[in-house]
Amino acid sequence: MKKLPRVLIVEDEPAIAELIAVNLRHNGFSPIWSEDGESAQRELDAVLPDVILLDWMLPGQSGLQLARKWRADGRTKAVPILMLTARGDEPDKVAGLDAGADDYITKPFSTQELLARIRAVLRRRAPEQVADSVAIGALALDAATHRVTFEGQALKVGPTEFKLLHFLMKHAERVHSRSQLLDKVWGDHVFIEERTVDVHVKRLRESLGGGSVMVETVRGAGYRLTAQPQALARA
Ligand code: CA
């Protein structure tokens, strides 16, 4: 028999947790419920789930603190995290993605939306297990070790910027619109604002510094990673 995907629900409101658990069970998942970070940690220490549904507002450690902690931990860092946020938390969503969450979903949400998002993060995680490396000019990215170097020097790149850079490097010199990037890097782009892409491109540029490989803005079209920047080509 096929193993059912295990979903750890970290949610302090029993009514919400129960509703999610029932729906997941009916749709071929195996849900486990923890009401705070401490009991969730015990679950993670025992058996790793396939995905974590993490409420933002929790007693004790917040969802944001937990996402950061689990991303930094070698044992849990590859487990996808889907954050549950309340309406009106918009500025926090970027912080959540930055802390290492793979996606977020705003309460109240429909069962269909939740299932679609869980399936999307599970799909997106799968190909990432394949290790591959890519180099453009003096810029090199090693997916297996999660390292980015420029002229052999390690660059500090956040988790989302890493995924973005990986995609851009695999498809260098090509222009990608914001919605294409959301689709390819984040998946299920309908749920994330295009502005999120700009935020992460800005951070990626800061990480890359003034090197000869850069993320160029192509007016009205989107972004491209290039080793022949327009500014230099014209000069
Ligand atoms: Ca809560």
Side-chain angles (χ1 to χ4, degrees), residues 4-217:
L4 300 178
R6 208 176 153 88
V7 182
L8 175 62
I9 307 163
V10 190
E11 165 64 75
D12 57 316
E13 285 163 71
I16 296 176
E18 181 60 26
L19 185 68
I20 294 174
V22 165
N23 283 315
L24 289 179
R25 218 171 281 127
H26 284 165
N27 286 281
F29 292 90
S30 168
I32 304 103
W33 173 42
S34 294
E35 58 185 347
D36 58 27
E38 217 172 290
S39 63
Q41 187 63 59
R42 280 196 296 274
E43 289 294 341
L44 291 171
D45 291 343
V47 184
L48 277 187
D50 295 289
V51 58
I52 301 171
L53 291 187
L54 179 58
D55 187 28
W56 187 281
M57 296 295 284
L58 289 168
Q61 284 187 292
S62 71
L64 189 67
Q65 288 171 311
L66 291 169
R68 243 185 231 126
K69 182 170 95 172
W70 292 336
R71 269 298 165 267
D73 184 336
R75 179 172 159 78
T76 47
K77 75 175 178 198
V79 180
I81 298 174
L82 186 54
M83 296 222 56
L84 310 176
T85 67
R87 205 167 284 287
D89 282 344
E90 274 74 15
D92 289 344
K93 289 173 180 172
V94 173
L97 293 172
D98 235 34
D102 292 79
D103 201 356
Y104 55 81
I105 185 164
T106 307
K107 295 179 193 174
F109 45 79
S110 71
T111 302
Q112 287 319 309
E113 188 183 1
L114 178 67
L115 291 171
R117 306 289 280 279
I118 291 176
R119 289 181 182 127
V121 289
L122 288 175
R123 260 200 319 271
R124 253 179 286 153
R125 278 288 158 163
E128 259 191 78
Q129 310 298 337
V130 180
D132 61 328
S133 300
V134 51
I136 292 167
L139 183 68
L141 178 146
D142 185 344
T145 58
H146 243 253
R147 272 169 65 89
V148 180
T149 55
F150 187 77
E151 289 176 345
Q153 300 290 307
L155 300 181
K156 208 168 171 294
V157 179
T160 303
E161 288 74 42
F162 184 89
K163 282 199 257 184
L164 178 61
L165 180 63
H166 196 187
F167 177 79
L168 289 172
M169 287 180 77
K170 284 193 286 187
H171 308 277
E173 307 298 338
R174 258 185 270 168
V175 181
H176 307 279
S177 70
R178 287 173 179 79
S179 72
Q180 281 169 341
L181 289 173
L182 280 176
D183 199 28
K184 301 292 184 195
V185 179
W186 280 262
D188 261 359
H189 65 278
V190 277
F191 303 110
I192 302 181
E193 301 144 54
E194 296 200 344
R195 196 184 63 87
T196 304
V197 176
D198 302 339
V199 171
H200 290 288
V201 165
K202 183 170 175 281
R203 294 200 181 130
L204 178 57
R205 280 176 175 152
E206 285 162 7
S207 297
L208 295 179
S212 56
V213 179
M214 53 173 66
V215 183
E216 228 176 35
T217 303

